[in-house]
Amino acid sequence: MPDAALAEAEEIRFLDNSPEALRKRLGHGNIYPTGSATQALESLFRTENLAALREIGLRVVAETLAVPGAARRGSRRTCWWP
């Protein structure tokens, strides 16, 4: 998702899952069809890629919360934290 889209969003929900939990869901066919899941697990959804994306997401949330007034921007800005 482009940074500009995040900056303009009225509401952002960050759902935090471990890379292992996401890979398990993917393997069960909960994210991609089972036939596509094997290839996805071996390429894009490797544990190290998912861990890096999770860290980026956590940083974006932390930076958003650290900006004074960020929670009041827009008519409905919500931050979900597990």
Side-chain angles (χ1 to χ4, degrees):
M1 175 173 284
D3 290 343
L6 286 174
E8 294 177 12
E10 290 183 17
E11 182 175 351
I12 299 170
R13 295 182 185 192
F14 183 78
L15 305 175
D16 187 17
N17 265 321
S18 70
E20 295 78 15
L22 289 172
R23 287 178 53 85
K24 184 176 182 179
R25 292 190 67 225
L26 185 64
H28 288 170
N30 299 110
I31 298 172
Y32 277 175
T34 308
S36 304
T38 302
Q39 181 181 1
L41 284 167
E42 294 172 357
S43 57
L44 181 62
F45 293 104
R46 292 188 326 262
T47 301
E48 56 273 9
N49 289 352
L50 293 172
L53 289 171
R54 181 185 190 196
E55 184 176 333
I56 291 168
L58 290 169
R59 285 183 187 184
V60 168
V61 170
E63 289 170 2
T64 301
L65 294 175
V67 174
R72 293 185 297 276
R73 267 188 262 157
S75 59
R76 293 182 337 160
R77 181 166 292 260
T78 305
C79 183
W80 294 84
W81 194 263

